[in-house]
């Protein structure tokens, strides 16, 4: 609060005092008081008024400064009414009470919305688990039918069973997307970070999509030598979405998907000065891992590349090719952000696309690694 703002707020009071001073001076002069006595009274009045205004300004400024400081430090700012400091002014007490009643109503409303959201999420999760049972049964029936049938007629029926199985897999993928979307705001409740072999993850995803890849004549290559600290289940889902996108936006002939890893380094400083002993600065290059999913498909237009992770964005490819929801990459981006993974795309129209996941190694792992192996000077 500034002094100009305070005085502007007190303009009516100042006008009233000024008018009263003039009336008093006129009355004293009319009753025979000498001018110097009138002036002395006015001066004392002004001094007392200025002193009162100064004290009141300092008190209000300190009060509102305390409120602003409290507000900036609060995570849930709608609770300000409960934590407001007490004040001797009646209007402050009334405002505090009104804010408290209003905030109570807001909190109750938020609680109802959270309960409704939780109930809806639990329903979606239970529905997904229920619908997965018939999906799995259809898949097993198609597989058993394929094994039993042979001959020319059987070959035609086997092809029909394979197509049904392929469409059934698409349904399963959409159901999985619904489940992971429902859980995406609470990833922290359902993940375990541990060292994960990325080659194993890639193989699991390709096996899951083998019929889809075969149907679309897509060749897949895996070259993942590195591992990363992450959650296995969530990464399988993310990689599964990327592989499906590569297959969906493939080229007509010679379609290839490559899944490979590469290392990258990032200079970090741990501690203080390197000449100060045990807790000093350790100049170190931390090792991170990139998981790259590359295809030679139709690619993405340059003007659309920055928007591929937006919710509901399908782009020109999504409108021309198979039916697209625009939710797959958005969900991948959201889950990666929750897991502390960077995801971005590189693409040229007609030349294919790279989807890159970066798994950084935190300084915690680096420091523990140094502590366990020992550290000798600046030797890398």
């Amino acid at each position: 609060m500034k002094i100009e703002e305070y005085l502007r707020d007190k303009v009516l009071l100042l006008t009233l005092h000024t008018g009263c001073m003039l009336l008093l001076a006129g009355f004293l002069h009319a009753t025979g008081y000498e001018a110097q006595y009138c002036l002395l009274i006015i001066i004392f009045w002004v001094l007392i008024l200025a002193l009162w205004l100064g004290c009141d300004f300092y008190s209000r400024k300190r009060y509102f400064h305390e409120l602003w400081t409290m507000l900036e430090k609060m995570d849930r700012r709608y609770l300000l009414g409960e934590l407001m400091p007490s004040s001797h002014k009646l209007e402050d007490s009334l405002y505090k009470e009104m804010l408290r009643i209003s905030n109570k109503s807001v909190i109750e409303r938020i609680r109802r919305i959270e309960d409704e959201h939780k109930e809806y999420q639990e329903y979606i999760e239970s529905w997904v688990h229920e619908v997965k049972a018939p999906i799995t049964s259809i898949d097993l029936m198609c597989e058993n039918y394929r094994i039993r049938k042979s001959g020319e007629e059987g070959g035609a029926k086997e092809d029909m069973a394979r197509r049904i199985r392929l469409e059934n897999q698409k349904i399963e993928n959409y159901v999985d997307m619904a489940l992971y979307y429902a859980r995406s705001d609470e990833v922290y409740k359902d993940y375990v970070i541990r060292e994960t072999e990325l080659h194993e993850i890639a193989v699991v995803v390709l096996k899951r999509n083998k019929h889809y890849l075969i149907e679309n004549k897509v060749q897949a290559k895996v070259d993942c030598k590195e591992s990363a600290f992450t959650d296995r289940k969530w990464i399988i889902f993310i990689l599964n979405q990327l592989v499906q996108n590569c297959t969906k936006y493939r080229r007509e002939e010679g379609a290839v998907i490559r899944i490979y890893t590469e290392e990258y380094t990032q200079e970090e400083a741990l501690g203080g000065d390197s000449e100060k002993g045990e807790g000093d600065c350790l100049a170190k290059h931390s090792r991170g891992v990139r998981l790259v999913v590359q295809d030679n498909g139709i690619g993405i237009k340059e003007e659309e590349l920055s928007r591929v992770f937006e919710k509901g964005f399908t782009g020109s490819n999504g409108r021309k090719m198979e039916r697209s929801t625009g939710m797959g990459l958005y969900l991948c981006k959201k889950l990666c952000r929750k897991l502390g993974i960077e995801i971005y795309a590189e693409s040229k129209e007609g030349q294919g696309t790279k989807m890159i996941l970066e798994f950084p190694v935190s300084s915690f792992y680096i420091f523990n690694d140094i502590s366990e192996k020992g550290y000798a000077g600046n030797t890398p």
Side-chain angles (χ1 to χ4, degrees):
M1 184 171 64
K2 297 179 180 180
I3 185 67
E4 311 88 62
E5 297 171 341
Y6 177 79
L7 292 176
R8 189 160 50 249
D9 181 65
K10 299 293 184 181
V11 65
L12 291 178
L13 178 64
L14 293 173
T15 303
L16 176 63
H17 276 274
T18 302
C20 290
M21 289 178 194
L22 294 175
L23 287 174
L24 179 62
F27 174 77
L28 293 175
H29 182 71
T31 56
Y33 273 81
E34 295 183 9
Q36 58 266 30
Y37 295 130
C38 295
L39 181 61
L40 187 61
I41 293 173
I42 296 300
I43 290 173
F44 272 103
W45 190 331
V46 170
L47 289 176
I48 293 172
L49 178 61
L51 181 62
W52 180 85
L53 288 174
C55 293
D56 186 63
F57 170 73
Y58 175 75
S59 173
R60 302 305 288 167
K61 183 177 182 180
R62 186 175 59 178
Y63 177 77
F64 285 110
H65 177 73
E66 186 178 351
L67 278 179
W68 276 111
T69 303
M70 183 183 298
L71 188 63
E72 289 173 356
K73 292 180 179 179
M74 290 175 64
D75 292 331
R76 301 182 179 182
R77 297 183 175 181
Y78 55 84
L79 295 176
L80 179 64
E82 304 292 333
L83 302 175
M84 283 179 66
S86 58
S87 173
H88 65 279
K89 287 184 175 290
L90 176 62
E91 59 181 15
D92 291 340
S93 301
L94 292 175
Y95 286 143
K96 181 178 179 179
E97 183 64 19
M98 287 188 288
L99 278 174
R100 193 186 64 81
I101 296 172
S102 176
N103 291 343
K104 184 179 179 181
S105 175
V106 171
I107 292 169
E108 290 174 353
R109 177 61 177 166
I110 291 173
R111 182 63 58 83
R112 287 198 298 270
I113 293 174
E114 287 178 345
D115 290 341
E116 292 171 2
H117 175 73
K118 186 176 180 180
E119 289 177 4
Y120 177 73
Q121 180 179 342
E122 290 174 351
Y123 169 74
I124 291 294
E125 291 185 11
S126 64
W127 176 83
V128 167
H129 289 299
E130 290 294 332
V131 82
K132 272 182 171 288
I135 289 174
T136 304
S137 299
I138 293 172
D139 190 63
L140 290 174
M141 285 188 290
C142 290
E143 179 65 19
N144 292 335
Y145 188 86
R146 184 186 65 81
I147 293 173
R148 290 200 308 268
K149 294 298 179 180
S150 60
E152 184 176 345
E153 182 181 355
K157 292 181 178 180
E158 179 185 343
D159 184 66
M160 179 59 67
R162 180 175 56 79
R163 291 180 178 275
I164 293 173
R165 190 177 185 184
L166 184 61
E167 295 302 318
N168 188 59
Q169 183 183 355
K170 291 181 181 179
I171 295 174
E172 184 177 11
N173 289 331
Y174 284 121
V175 168
D176 281 340
M177 188 181 296
L179 176 62
Y180 280 86
Y181 183 75
R183 292 178 174 176
S184 61
D185 288 328
E186 298 181 340
V187 175
Y188 63 92
K189 292 184 178 180
D190 187 31
Y191 74 86
V192 178
I193 300 297
R194 61 180 60 176
E195 189 170 8
T196 305
E197 294 294 334
L198 297 179
H199 180 85
E200 178 188 350
I201 298 297
V203 170
V204 168
V205 171
L206 292 178
K207 283 184 177 179
R208 179 181 295 183
N209 291 277
K210 63 180 180 180
H211 298 291
Y212 191 37
L213 295 171
I214 293 171
E215 175 72 18
N216 292 282
K217 300 177 182 179
V218 178
Q219 183 182 4
K221 300 178 181 179
V222 178
D223 183 21
C224 300
K225 297 182 176 65
E226 283 77 21
S227 59
F229 286 90
T230 187
D231 180 85
R232 185 177 187 274
K233 181 180 69 174
W234 294 88
I235 289 300
I236 286 178
F237 172 79
I238 293 170
L239 188 57
N240 188 65
Q241 293 297 316
L242 298 181
V243 169
Q244 287 179 25
N245 267 15
C246 291
T247 308
K248 184 185 297 185
Y249 302 115
R250 66 195 178 277
R251 63 169 58 190
E252 292 297 327
E253 295 181 357
V256 177
I257 297 175
R258 288 185 62 227
I259 304 175
Y260 62 93
T261 57
E262 59 187 21
E263 292 186 357
Y264 71 96
T265 56
Q266 192 172 40
E267 187 170 343
E268 284 190 353
L270 305 177
D273 192 339
S274 60
E275 298 180 358
K276 293 183 180 179
E278 189 175 338
D280 25 344
C281 173
L282 307 179
K284 188 75 176 174
H285 285 281
S286 63
R287 181 181 64 85
V289 175
R290 289 191 181 100
L291 177 63
V292 183
V293 182
Q294 181 179 5
D295 65 61
N296 60 347
I298 60 177
I300 304 170
K301 292 182 177 180
E302 184 177 356
E303 61 271 20
E304 296 178 353
L305 190 58
S306 61
R307 300 185 59 198
V308 293
F309 295 106
E310 292 181 8
K311 185 177 182 179
F313 180 75
T314 58
S316 54
N317 292 338
R319 290 187 286 272
K320 289 188 298 185
M321 306 292 288
E322 299 181 30
R323 192 174 176 182
S324 176
T325 62
M327 293 296 294
L329 290 180
Y330 163 76
L331 189 52
C332 289
K333 181 74 172 181
K334 187 175 183 180
L335 294 177
C336 284
R337 187 168 59 248
K338 298 284 186 179
L339 294 171
I341 301 169
E342 289 292 332
I343 181 171
Y344 55 93
E346 296 177 358
S347 181
K348 288 186 178 180
E349 189 176 8
Q351 298 182 24
T353 303
K354 281 185 181 180
M355 288 291 173
I356 303 169
L357 299 173
E358 284 191 357
F359 302 86
V361 176
S362 71
S363 58
F364 172 78
Y365 292 112
I366 298 168
F367 185 76
N368 279 341
D369 183 60
I370 294 171
S371 300
E372 291 171 3
K373 294 181 180 178
Y375 178 72
N378 293 322
T379 306

